[in-house]
Amino acid sequence: MALIIENPARIVTPRPGDQRGAGLGGLDVFTGMSVLCRDGLIERIGALDELLAEASGAKRYDASGQTLIPGLVDSHSHPVFAGDRADEFAMRTAGAGYEEIAASGGGIARTVAATQQASKDKLKELARKRLDRAMAHGVTTLEAKTGYGLTPESELKMLEVIRELDAEHPIDLVPTFLGAHAVPKGVAKNDYLAAMRELLPEAARTARFCDVFCEQGYFTPVESVSLLEAARDCGMLPKMHADQFHSIGCIEAAVELGAVSVDHLEAMRPEDAVKLAGTDVVGLALPGVSLFLDIPYAPVRQLIDAGCAVAVATDFNPGSNMTMNLPLMMSLLCMKTGVSTDEALIMATRGGAHALRMSDRGRIAEGLRADMAVLDADKYEELVYFYGERHVSAVIKGGTVHELR
Ligand code: NIG
Ligand code: FE
C-alpha cells in the first residue's frame, strides 16, 4: 500500500554521513517536497505532481502547514512495571535522596515486588497506555528494559510482555534484558549473578541488548563486564547504566568491552569525554533524571565537542524519571547542557537509532523506514522551544498514518 504525505511546510531531517563533533553533522530542511511511502519504507521525496504520477492510487495525507521530522527514537526506557512510587516523590521533595530512599527499603525493590505480583495481562495493560503517551509525543521506536522481575520467572514474564506489545502496538519495541538491575533482598549477589547468567540463553531469544546497573551498591565494573561478555556470547549486545551517582570506572570498562552505549553519565567527569571519543560507544544522556532527582546534568556539550557519538532518551521509570515526553528531554538538553536545538533533534532521532544499532531509521531518506512525526507547526524548533507541550498531530509508522487529534 502506498501513501503520499502531501505538501508539508518543511521536511527536517539529520543529514547522512558523519554525525560527530559540533553540530553532529547538521540537519537538512526541504521545502516544496512531499514524501511517497510504500511497503513500510520511504520510496521517494520529491515534487507532489511527480509522486502522484509515480503512485496514482496512493492514499494521500495532507500535511500542509505542518513540519515532518523523523519518528523519535527513545533509546532507553523502563515502561513495564506495576505500582507507583508517588510517595517517594513526596519524600524527595521533602529532602530525602534517591539512594537514601533505596537504602531504607524503597526504590527499585518496591517496584519489583509490585511487578512480581502483577499478571502478564495487567503489565501489558499498564505498559500499553504508556506507549500511547510516547507515541503522542512522536516516538515511533522505543527500547524497553526488563529489570523489575529479578527472578528468572518474572524477568521472562517482562520479556514476554515486551515481545507481545511490540506485535500489538504501532511503536516498535526493542527489548533489553536488565536482569542485573539490583540484587533481590535476601539473595547473595554471587548467587543472583549466577542465576542471571544461567538465564542469558533464554533471554537472548527475545532481547537484542543486555544492560547492567553499574553503580556503587549495585554491580561493580568487573561484575558488569563479566555478565555482559557472557550475554554477548549468547547474541545480545552490551549496554551499561554508568556514572549515574558515582564515577566508579564504568566508562573505562564499557570502552574496553566495546559496549553499544553508556547511559546516564550525570556523575561523569567532563575530562573523561576523551575516553569515549574515537570509540563507537554512544554517550546516552537522560536529562529528565537530573531534573526529577535534582542531580547534576551529564556533560553533553563536552561529549559532543570531544567528538563522541551521543543520543538522548527519557529513561522513563517510576523512580528516577516519570515521563514519556522525549521532546521535553530535548528541551532540557538545550536549556541545561548547552546543546543546540538542531543537535537535540539529531540526538533524539539518528542518535537514538545509533544507540540501538538500527541504521534503517532516524532520518527521512529514501530506503529508510517510513517512520515520521507530523508537527502542528511550520518549523521544527517549536517542538523544543514551546516546551512541555504536545505538538504532534500524527505519527506515520511503517507507512501507516496514526492521527493523534
Ligand atoms: O535508569 N538507574 C537505575 N535504574 C533506573 C531507576 C530505576 C528505579 O528507580 O526504579 C534508572 O534511573
Ligand atoms: Fe534506566
Short mmCIF file of all heavy atoms in Angstrom, two decimals, residues 7-76:
data_model
loop_
_atom_site.label_atom_id
_atom_site.label_comp_id
_atom_site.label_asym_id
_atom_site.label_seq_id
_atom_site.Cartn_x
_atom_site.Cartn_y
_atom_site.Cartn_z
N ASN A 7 2.72 18.03 0.74
CA ASN A 7 2.96 19.46 0.96
C ASN A 7 3.25 19.91 2.38
O ASN A 7 2.73 20.94 2.80
CB ASN A 7 1.73 20.26 0.47
CG ASN A 7 1.59 20.17 -1.03
OD1 ASN A 7 2.60 20.17 -1.74
ND2 ASN A 7 0.36 20.07 -1.51
N PRO A 8 4.06 19.20 3.15
CA PRO A 8 4.42 19.76 4.46
C PRO A 8 5.15 21.08 4.25
O PRO A 8 5.81 21.27 3.22
CB PRO A 8 5.35 18.71 5.07
CG PRO A 8 5.89 17.95 3.91
CD PRO A 8 4.80 17.95 2.86
N ALA A 9 5.01 21.98 5.24
CA ALA A 9 5.73 23.27 5.14
C ALA A 9 7.23 23.00 5.04
O ALA A 9 7.94 23.64 4.28
CB ALA A 9 5.41 24.13 6.36
N ARG A 10 7.68 22.04 5.86
CA ARG A 10 9.10 21.68 5.85
C ARG A 10 9.27 20.20 6.15
O ARG A 10 8.49 19.63 6.92
CB ARG A 10 9.88 22.45 6.92
CG ARG A 10 10.05 23.92 6.63
CD ARG A 10 10.94 24.60 7.67
NE ARG A 10 11.21 25.99 7.30
CZ ARG A 10 10.37 27.00 7.57
NH1 ARG A 10 9.24 26.77 8.20
NH2 ARG A 10 10.68 28.22 7.18
N ILE A 11 10.30 19.64 5.56
CA ILE A 11 10.76 18.30 5.95
C ILE A 11 12.12 18.53 6.58
O ILE A 11 13.02 19.09 5.95
CB ILE A 11 10.88 17.36 4.73
CG1 ILE A 11 9.52 17.19 4.05
CG2 ILE A 11 11.47 16.01 5.15
CD1 ILE A 11 9.58 16.44 2.73
N VAL A 12 12.28 18.12 7.83
CA VAL A 12 13.53 18.37 8.55
C VAL A 12 14.13 17.03 8.95
O VAL A 12 13.46 16.21 9.60
CB VAL A 12 13.27 19.23 9.81
CG1 VAL A 12 14.57 19.50 10.55
CG2 VAL A 12 12.60 20.55 9.43
N THR A 13 15.37 16.81 8.57
CA THR A 13 15.98 15.51 8.85
C THR A 13 17.49 15.62 9.06
O THR A 13 18.14 16.46 8.43
CB THR A 13 15.71 14.52 7.68
OG1 THR A 13 16.41 13.29 7.95
CG2 THR A 13 16.18 15.06 6.34
N PRO A 14 18.05 14.80 9.97
CA PRO A 14 19.51 14.75 10.07
C PRO A 14 20.12 14.37 8.72
O PRO A 14 19.54 13.60 7.96
CB PRO A 14 19.76 13.63 11.09
CG PRO A 14 18.51 13.56 11.90
CD PRO A 14 17.40 13.89 10.94
N ARG A 15 21.28 14.95 8.45
CA ARG A 15 21.99 14.61 7.20
C ARG A 15 22.64 13.25 7.32
O ARG A 15 22.96 12.81 8.43
CB ARG A 15 23.09 15.63 6.96
CG ARG A 15 22.57 16.96 6.57
CD ARG A 15 23.67 17.82 5.96
NE ARG A 15 23.13 19.14 5.76
CZ ARG A 15 23.61 20.25 6.31
NH1 ARG A 15 24.72 20.21 7.04
NH2 ARG A 15 23.03 21.40 6.10
N PRO A 16 22.88 12.59 6.18
CA PRO A 16 23.68 11.36 6.23
C PRO A 16 25.15 11.72 6.48
O PRO A 16 25.49 12.90 6.54
CB PRO A 16 23.49 10.77 4.83
CG PRO A 16 23.16 11.93 3.96
CD PRO A 16 22.47 12.94 4.82
N GLY A 17 25.98 10.73 6.60
CA GLY A 17 27.41 10.99 6.79
C GLY A 17 27.78 11.09 8.25
O GLY A 17 27.05 10.63 9.12
N ASP A 18 28.91 11.74 8.51
CA ASP A 18 29.46 11.76 9.85
C ASP A 18 28.53 12.49 10.82
O ASP A 18 27.97 13.52 10.49
CB ASP A 18 30.83 12.45 9.81
CG ASP A 18 31.63 12.14 11.06
OD1 ASP A 18 31.33 11.12 11.71
OD2 ASP A 18 32.55 12.91 11.40
N GLN A 19 28.37 11.97 12.01
CA GLN A 19 27.47 12.60 12.97
C GLN A 19 28.20 12.89 14.28
O GLN A 19 27.66 12.71 15.36
CB GLN A 19 26.23 11.76 13.20
CG GLN A 19 26.50 10.38 13.72
CD GLN A 19 25.23 9.61 14.07
OE1 GLN A 19 25.15 8.43 13.83
NE2 GLN A 19 24.26 10.25 14.65
N ARG A 20 29.42 13.34 14.19
CA ARG A 20 30.17 13.66 15.40
C ARG A 20 30.65 15.10 15.37
O ARG A 20 30.72 15.72 14.31
CB ARG A 20 31.39 12.74 15.52
CG ARG A 20 31.03 11.34 15.92
CD ARG A 20 32.17 10.41 15.57
NE ARG A 20 31.81 9.05 15.79
CZ ARG A 20 32.12 8.35 16.88
NH1 ARG A 20 32.81 8.89 17.85
NH2 ARG A 20 31.74 7.09 17.00
N GLY A 21 31.01 15.61 16.53
CA GLY A 21 31.53 16.97 16.62
C GLY A 21 30.41 18.00 16.66
O GLY A 21 29.23 17.65 16.51
N ALA A 22 30.77 19.26 16.86
CA ALA A 22 29.78 20.32 16.99
C ALA A 22 28.83 20.29 15.81
O ALA A 22 29.25 20.21 14.66
CB ALA A 22 30.49 21.67 17.07
N GLY A 23 27.53 20.33 16.09
CA GLY A 23 26.52 20.30 15.04
C GLY A 23 26.08 18.89 14.67
O GLY A 23 25.07 18.70 14.01
N LEU A 24 26.86 17.90 15.07
CA LEU A 24 26.51 16.48 14.83
C LEU A 24 26.16 16.19 13.37
O LEU A 24 25.31 15.34 13.10
CB LEU A 24 25.36 16.05 15.75
CG LEU A 24 25.65 16.13 17.25
CD1 LEU A 24 24.41 15.74 18.05
CD2 LEU A 24 26.82 15.22 17.65
N GLY A 25 26.78 16.87 12.45
CA GLY A 25 26.54 16.58 11.03
C GLY A 25 25.47 17.44 10.42
O GLY A 25 25.35 17.52 9.20
N GLY A 26 24.65 18.09 11.25
CA GLY A 26 23.70 19.06 10.73
C GLY A 26 22.38 18.46 10.24
O GLY A 26 22.22 17.24 10.13
N LEU A 27 21.44 19.37 9.98
CA LEU A 27 20.10 19.00 9.50
C LEU A 27 19.92 19.45 8.07
O LEU A 27 20.47 20.48 7.66
CB LEU A 27 19.03 19.70 10.34
CG LEU A 27 18.87 19.30 11.80
CD1 LEU A 27 17.88 20.24 12.49
CD2 LEU A 27 18.38 17.85 11.91
N ASP A 28 19.12 18.71 7.30
CA ASP A 28 18.64 19.20 6.01
C ASP A 28 17.21 19.67 6.19
O ASP A 28 16.43 19.04 6.93
CB ASP A 28 18.64 18.06 4.97
CG ASP A 28 20.01 17.88 4.32
OD1 ASP A 28 20.73 18.89 4.19
OD2 ASP A 28 20.35 16.73 3.98
N VAL A 29 16.86 20.76 5.52
CA VAL A 29 15.48 21.26 5.56
C VAL A 29 15.00 21.36 4.11
O VAL A 29 15.60 22.07 3.30
CB VAL A 29 15.40 22.64 6.24
CG1 VAL A 29 13.96 23.15 6.25
CG2 VAL A 29 15.95 22.57 7.67
N PHE A 30 13.95 20.60 3.78
CA PHE A 30 13.41 20.64 2.42
C PHE A 30 12.06 21.35 2.43
O PHE A 30 11.21 21.06 3.28
CB PHE A 30 13.19 19.22 1.88
CG PHE A 30 14.43 18.36 1.90
CD1 PHE A 30 14.49 17.23 2.70
CD2 PHE A 30 15.53 18.68 1.11
CE1 PHE A 30 15.63 16.43 2.72
CE2 PHE A 30 16.67 17.89 1.12
CZ PHE A 30 16.73 16.76 1.92
N THR A 31 11.85 22.25 1.48
CA THR A 31 10.52 22.85 1.30
C THR A 31 10.03 22.51 -0.10
O THR A 31 10.82 22.18 -0.99
CB THR A 31 10.59 24.39 1.47
OG1 THR A 31 11.59 24.89 0.56
CG2 THR A 31 10.96 24.81 2.88
N GLY A 32 8.71 22.55 -0.27
CA GLY A 32 8.13 22.26 -1.58
C GLY A 32 8.22 20.80 -1.97
O GLY A 32 8.14 20.44 -3.14
N MET A 33 8.39 19.92 -1.00
CA MET A 33 8.53 18.48 -1.29
C MET A 33 7.45 17.68 -0.56
O MET A 33 6.98 18.09 0.50
CB MET A 33 9.89 17.97 -0.79
CG MET A 33 11.07 18.73 -1.32
SD MET A 33 11.45 18.20 -2.98
CE MET A 33 13.18 17.87 -2.75
N SER A 34 7.13 16.53 -1.14
CA SER A 34 6.22 15.59 -0.49
C SER A 34 6.94 14.25 -0.38
O SER A 34 8.04 14.09 -0.92
CB SER A 34 4.94 15.44 -1.32
OG SER A 34 4.27 16.70 -1.39
N VAL A 35 6.32 13.30 0.34
CA VAL A 35 7.00 12.03 0.60
C VAL A 35 6.11 10.87 0.16
O VAL A 35 4.95 10.79 0.57
CB VAL A 35 7.33 11.87 2.10
CG1 VAL A 35 8.07 10.56 2.35
CG2 VAL A 35 8.16 13.04 2.61
N LEU A 36 6.66 10.00 -0.65
CA LEU A 36 5.94 8.78 -1.06
C LEU A 36 6.47 7.59 -0.25
O LEU A 36 7.67 7.33 -0.22
CB LEU A 36 6.17 8.53 -2.56
CG LEU A 36 5.73 7.16 -3.11
CD1 LEU A 36 4.21 6.95 -2.96
CD2 LEU A 36 6.12 7.03 -4.61
N CYS A 37 5.54 6.91 0.42
CA CYS A 37 5.90 5.72 1.21
C CYS A 37 5.27 4.49 0.55
O CYS A 37 4.14 4.57 0.05
CB CYS A 37 5.35 5.80 2.63
SG CYS A 37 5.67 7.36 3.47
N ARG A 38 5.99 3.39 0.57
CA ARG A 38 5.42 2.15 0.03
C ARG A 38 6.02 0.96 0.77
O ARG A 38 7.22 0.94 1.06
CB ARG A 38 5.71 2.03 -1.47
CG ARG A 38 4.68 1.14 -2.21
CD ARG A 38 5.16 0.75 -3.59
NE ARG A 38 5.43 1.85 -4.50
CZ ARG A 38 4.58 2.31 -5.42
NH1 ARG A 38 3.39 1.79 -5.53
NH2 ARG A 38 4.94 3.28 -6.23
N ASP A 39 5.17 0.00 1.11
CA ASP A 39 5.61 -1.21 1.80
C ASP A 39 6.44 -0.90 3.04
O ASP A 39 7.47 -1.54 3.31
CB ASP A 39 6.42 -2.11 0.85
CG ASP A 39 5.60 -2.54 -0.35
OD1 ASP A 39 4.36 -2.65 -0.20
OD2 ASP A 39 6.18 -2.73 -1.44
N GLY A 40 6.02 0.12 3.77
CA GLY A 40 6.67 0.41 5.05
C GLY A 40 7.91 1.27 4.94
O GLY A 40 8.48 1.66 5.96
N LEU A 41 8.33 1.57 3.70
CA LEU A 41 9.57 2.34 3.52
C LEU A 41 9.30 3.69 2.84
O LEU A 41 8.26 3.88 2.21
CB LEU A 41 10.57 1.55 2.66
CG LEU A 41 10.96 0.17 3.16
CD1 LEU A 41 11.96 -0.48 2.20
CD2 LEU A 41 11.57 0.24 4.56
N ILE A 42 10.26 4.60 2.97
CA ILE A 42 10.20 5.86 2.23
C ILE A 42 10.75 5.56 0.84
O ILE A 42 11.90 5.16 0.69
CB ILE A 42 11.05 6.94 2.93
CG1 ILE A 42 10.46 7.26 4.31
CG2 ILE A 42 11.14 8.20 2.05
CD1 ILE A 42 11.34 8.11 5.20
N GLU A 43 9.87 5.70 -0.17
CA GLU A 43 10.32 5.36 -1.53
C GLU A 43 10.94 6.58 -2.21
O GLU A 43 11.98 6.47 -2.85
CB GLU A 43 9.14 4.84 -2.35
CG GLU A 43 9.54 4.37 -3.73
CD GLU A 43 8.43 3.60 -4.42
OE1 GLU A 43 8.10 2.49 -3.95
OE2 GLU A 43 7.86 4.13 -5.41
N ARG A 44 10.26 7.74 -2.07
CA ARG A 44 10.81 8.91 -2.74
C ARG A 44 10.40 10.21 -2.05
O ARG A 44 9.31 10.31 -1.50
CB ARG A 44 10.36 8.96 -4.20
CG ARG A 44 11.52 9.29 -5.15
CD ARG A 44 11.26 8.70 -6.50
NE ARG A 44 10.35 9.53 -7.29
CZ ARG A 44 10.66 10.72 -7.80
NH1 ARG A 44 11.83 11.26 -7.56
NH2 ARG A 44 9.80 11.37 -8.55
N ILE A 45 11.31 11.17 -2.07
CA ILE A 45 11.00 12.52 -1.59
C ILE A 45 11.07 13.41 -2.84
O ILE A 45 12.10 13.42 -3.52
CB ILE A 45 12.04 12.99 -0.55
CG1 ILE A 45 12.06 12.01 0.63
CG2 ILE A 45 11.75 14.41 -0.07
CD1 ILE A 45 13.25 12.17 1.56
N GLY A 46 9.98 14.09 -3.18
CA GLY A 46 10.01 14.86 -4.42
C GLY A 46 8.80 15.76 -4.56
O GLY A 46 7.98 15.89 -3.65
N ALA A 47 8.68 16.37 -5.73
CA ALA A 47 7.55 17.26 -6.01
C ALA A 47 6.27 16.43 -6.08
O ALA A 47 6.28 15.29 -6.58
CB ALA A 47 7.77 17.99 -7.33
N LEU A 48 5.16 17.01 -5.57
CA LEU A 48 3.92 16.25 -5.45
C LEU A 48 3.44 15.70 -6.80
O LEU A 48 3.05 14.53 -6.89
CB LEU A 48 2.83 17.15 -4.83
CG LEU A 48 1.47 16.49 -4.64
CD1 LEU A 48 1.58 15.25 -3.75
CD2 LEU A 48 0.48 17.48 -4.04
N ASP A 49 3.51 16.51 -7.87
CA ASP A 49 2.98 16.01 -9.15
C ASP A 49 3.79 14.80 -9.65
O ASP A 49 3.24 13.85 -10.20
CB ASP A 49 2.92 17.13 -10.21
CG ASP A 49 4.24 17.87 -10.36
OD1 ASP A 49 5.15 17.63 -9.53
OD2 ASP A 49 4.38 18.69 -11.30
N GLU A 50 5.07 14.80 -9.37
CA GLU A 50 5.89 13.63 -9.78
C GLU A 50 5.52 12.40 -8.97
O GLU A 50 5.44 11.29 -9.50
CB GLU A 50 7.38 13.94 -9.57
CG GLU A 50 7.95 14.90 -10.59
CD GLU A 50 9.35 15.37 -10.20
OE1 GLU A 50 10.01 14.69 -9.39
OE2 GLU A 50 9.77 16.42 -10.71
N LEU A 51 5.29 12.59 -7.68
CA LEU A 51 4.94 11.44 -6.82
C LEU A 51 3.57 10.89 -7.20
O LEU A 51 3.36 9.67 -7.23
CB LEU A 51 4.95 11.84 -5.34
CG LEU A 51 6.28 12.36 -4.78
CD1 LEU A 51 6.19 12.54 -3.26
CD2 LEU A 51 7.44 11.43 -5.12
N LEU A 52 2.64 11.81 -7.56
CA LEU A 52 1.30 11.36 -7.96
C LEU A 52 1.37 10.57 -9.27
O LEU A 52 0.67 9.57 -9.45
CB LEU A 52 0.36 12.56 -8.12
CG LEU A 52 -0.13 13.18 -6.80
CD1 LEU A 52 -0.85 14.50 -7.05
CD2 LEU A 52 -1.05 12.20 -6.06
N ALA A 53 2.26 10.97 -10.15
CA ALA A 53 2.41 10.24 -11.41
C ALA A 53 3.00 8.85 -11.15
O ALA A 53 2.67 7.88 -11.83
CB ALA A 53 3.31 11.04 -12.34
N GLU A 54 3.82 8.78 -10.13
CA GLU A 54 4.50 7.52 -9.82
C GLU A 54 3.59 6.53 -9.08
O GLU A 54 3.75 5.32 -9.20
CB GLU A 54 5.72 7.84 -8.94
CG GLU A 54 6.79 6.79 -8.96
CD GLU A 54 8.06 7.32 -8.30
OE1 GLU A 54 8.47 8.46 -8.62
OE2 GLU A 54 8.61 6.61 -7.45
N ALA A 55 2.65 7.07 -8.29
CA ALA A 55 1.78 6.20 -7.48
C ALA A 55 0.39 6.79 -7.48
O ALA A 55 -0.08 7.35 -6.49
CB ALA A 55 2.34 6.11 -6.06
N SER A 56 -0.31 6.64 -8.61
CA SER A 56 -1.59 7.33 -8.77
C SER A 56 -2.66 6.82 -7.79
O SER A 56 -3.52 7.58 -7.37
CB SER A 56 -2.07 7.20 -10.22
OG SER A 56 -2.03 5.85 -10.58
N GLY A 57 -2.58 5.55 -7.38
CA GLY A 57 -3.61 5.02 -6.47
C GLY A 57 -3.27 5.21 -5.00
O GLY A 57 -3.97 4.68 -4.14
N ALA A 58 -2.23 5.97 -4.70
CA ALA A 58 -1.78 6.06 -3.31
C ALA A 58 -2.80 6.77 -2.43
O ALA A 58 -3.54 7.63 -2.90
CB ALA A 58 -0.45 6.81 -3.25
N LYS A 59 -2.82 6.38 -1.15
CA LYS A 59 -3.58 7.16 -0.15
C LYS A 59 -2.87 8.50 0.00
O LYS A 59 -1.65 8.57 -0.16
CB LYS A 59 -3.54 6.44 1.20
CG LYS A 59 -4.76 5.61 1.49
CD LYS A 59 -4.68 5.00 2.88
CE LYS A 59 -5.18 5.97 3.95
NZ LYS A 59 -5.31 5.33 5.26
N ARG A 60 -3.63 9.54 0.34
CA ARG A 60 -2.99 10.87 0.46
C ARG A 60 -3.23 11.45 1.84
O ARG A 60 -4.33 11.36 2.37
CB ARG A 60 -3.55 11.79 -0.65
CG ARG A 60 -3.25 11.21 -2.03
CD ARG A 60 -3.98 11.93 -3.14
NE ARG A 60 -3.55 13.31 -3.29
CZ ARG A 60 -3.87 14.08 -4.34
NH1 ARG A 60 -4.59 13.58 -5.32
NH2 ARG A 60 -3.45 15.33 -4.41
N TYR A 61 -2.20 12.03 2.41
CA TYR A 61 -2.33 12.68 3.72
C TYR A 61 -1.87 14.12 3.59
O TYR A 61 -0.71 14.38 3.23
CB TYR A 61 -1.50 11.94 4.78
CG TYR A 61 -1.69 12.51 6.16
CD1 TYR A 61 -2.85 12.24 6.89
CD2 TYR A 61 -0.74 13.36 6.72
CE1 TYR A 61 -3.06 12.79 8.14
CE2 TYR A 61 -0.94 13.91 7.98
CZ TYR A 61 -2.10 13.63 8.68
OH TYR A 61 -2.30 14.18 9.92
N ASP A 62 -2.80 15.03 3.88
CA ASP A 62 -2.49 16.47 3.72
C ASP A 62 -1.73 16.99 4.94
O ASP A 62 -2.28 17.03 6.04
CB ASP A 62 -3.82 17.22 3.54
CG ASP A 62 -3.59 18.71 3.37
OD1 ASP A 62 -2.42 19.13 3.20
OD2 ASP A 62 -4.59 19.46 3.42
N ALA A 63 -0.49 17.37 4.74
CA ALA A 63 0.34 17.86 5.85
C ALA A 63 0.65 19.34 5.66
O ALA A 63 1.64 19.85 6.22
CB ALA A 63 1.62 17.05 5.96
N SER A 64 -0.19 20.03 4.90
CA SER A 64 0.17 21.43 4.61
C SER A 64 0.21 22.27 5.89
O SER A 64 -0.60 22.09 6.80
CB SER A 64 -0.76 22.05 3.55
OG SER A 64 -2.09 21.70 3.81
N GLY A 65 1.18 23.14 5.96
CA GLY A 65 1.38 23.98 7.13
C GLY A 65 2.08 23.28 8.28
O GLY A 65 2.34 23.89 9.31
N GLN A 66 2.39 21.99 8.10
CA GLN A 66 2.97 21.22 9.20
C GLN A 66 4.43 20.85 8.89
O GLN A 66 4.89 21.00 7.76
CB GLN A 66 2.16 19.94 9.42
CG GLN A 66 0.67 20.20 9.36
CD GLN A 66 -0.09 19.60 10.53
OE1 GLN A 66 0.45 18.94 11.40
NE2 GLN A 66 -1.37 19.82 10.52
N THR A 67 5.10 20.38 9.89
CA THR A 67 6.52 20.02 9.72
C THR A 67 6.69 18.52 9.92
O THR A 67 6.15 17.94 10.87
CB THR A 67 7.40 20.77 10.74
OG1 THR A 67 7.21 22.17 10.54
CG2 THR A 67 8.87 20.44 10.56
N LEU A 68 7.44 17.92 9.02
CA LEU A 68 7.69 16.47 9.08
C LEU A 68 9.10 16.24 9.62
O LEU A 68 10.07 16.76 9.06
CB LEU A 68 7.59 15.95 7.65
CG LEU A 68 7.06 14.55 7.40
CD1 LEU A 68 5.72 14.34 8.07
CD2 LEU A 68 6.96 14.31 5.89
N ILE A 69 9.19 15.47 10.70
CA ILE A 69 10.52 15.08 11.24
C ILE A 69 10.56 13.56 11.31
O ILE A 69 9.51 12.90 11.26
CB ILE A 69 10.78 15.69 12.64
CG1 ILE A 69 9.71 15.22 13.65
CG2 ILE A 69 10.83 17.22 12.58
CD1 ILE A 69 10.03 15.55 15.10
N PRO A 70 11.73 12.97 11.46
CA PRO A 70 11.78 11.51 11.63
C PRO A 70 11.06 11.13 12.92
O PRO A 70 11.06 11.90 13.88
CB PRO A 70 13.28 11.21 11.77
CG PRO A 70 13.99 12.41 11.26
CD PRO A 70 13.08 13.58 11.50
N GLY A 71 10.45 9.95 12.96
CA GLY A 71 9.88 9.45 14.21
C GLY A 71 10.98 9.45 15.26
O GLY A 71 12.12 9.11 14.98
N LEU A 72 10.62 9.88 16.48
CA LEU A 72 11.63 9.94 17.54
C LEU A 72 11.96 8.52 18.02
O LEU A 72 11.10 7.63 18.03
CB LEU A 72 11.14 10.79 18.71
CG LEU A 72 10.77 12.24 18.36
CD1 LEU A 72 10.32 12.99 19.63
CD2 LEU A 72 11.92 12.98 17.69
N VAL A 73 13.21 8.34 18.41
CA VAL A 73 13.67 7.02 18.89
C VAL A 73 14.06 7.18 20.36
O VAL A 73 15.05 7.84 20.67
CB VAL A 73 14.88 6.53 18.06
CG1 VAL A 73 15.37 5.18 18.58
CG2 VAL A 73 14.52 6.44 16.58
N ASP A 74 13.25 6.61 21.25
CA ASP A 74 13.56 6.67 22.69
C ASP A 74 14.40 5.43 23.02
O ASP A 74 13.87 4.33 23.14
CB ASP A 74 12.26 6.71 23.50
CG ASP A 74 12.52 7.05 24.96
OD1 ASP A 74 13.69 6.96 25.40
OD2 ASP A 74 11.56 7.41 25.67
N SER A 75 15.70 5.64 23.15
CA SER A 75 16.63 4.50 23.19
C SER A 75 16.96 4.02 24.60
O SER A 75 17.87 3.21 24.77
CB SER A 75 17.93 4.90 22.46
OG SER A 75 18.44 6.11 22.99
N HIS A 76 16.20 4.48 25.60
CA HIS A 76 16.42 3.97 26.97
C HIS A 76 15.13 4.20 27.77
O HIS A 76 14.79 5.34 28.09
CB HIS A 76 17.60 4.72 27.62
CG HIS A 76 17.93 4.28 29.02
ND1 HIS A 76 19.23 4.10 29.45
CD2 HIS A 76 17.15 3.99 30.09
CE1 HIS A 76 19.23 3.71 30.73
NE2 HIS A 76 17.97 3.65 31.14
#
